[in-house]
Amino acid sequence: MKASEVRLLTEDQIADELTKLKKEQFNLRFQRATGQLENTSRVRQVRRDIARLQTIGAETAAKNKG
């Protein structure tokens, strides 16, 4: 997910996407621990998407607040 795509989302959509990605991150960690993880690059991609969503979500909240 690109930053330009995230900036088009509303705060609620960002929160929903963040929840979805955190669940996926948990499942990927579980798969890695049990040796079932096939796409190891997805762990890094999900972690960066979470950080991107949190950063842009904070920017949006600060902008809307004042």
Side-chain angles (χ1 to χ4, degrees):
M1 179 171 285
K2 295 186 176 185
S4 58
E5 296 172 356
V6 175
R7 292 187 195 283
L8 298 175
L9 300 176
T10 65
E11 288 186 53
D12 290 336
Q13 290 172 325
I14 290 174
D16 291 341
E17 189 69 24
L18 193 56
T19 303
K20 185 179 87 170
L21 285 172
K22 286 193 176 198
K23 286 180 184 178
E24 182 178 355
Q25 183 184 36
F26 174 79
N27 290 329
L28 289 171
R29 282 197 324 249
F30 195 86
Q31 287 176 9
R32 185 181 354 180
T34 59
Q36 298 175 349
L37 184 61
E38 294 178 13
N39 186 4
T40 57
S41 65
R42 184 67 183 147
V43 175
R44 180 179 180 185
Q45 189 178 19
V46 168
R47 191 175 68 237
R48 289 184 176 200
D49 283 345
I50 289 171
R52 189 173 295 119
L53 283 166
Q54 288 176 335
T55 300
I56 295 174
E59 288 175 2
T60 305
K63 185 172 58 173
N64 290 341
K65 189 174 181 180

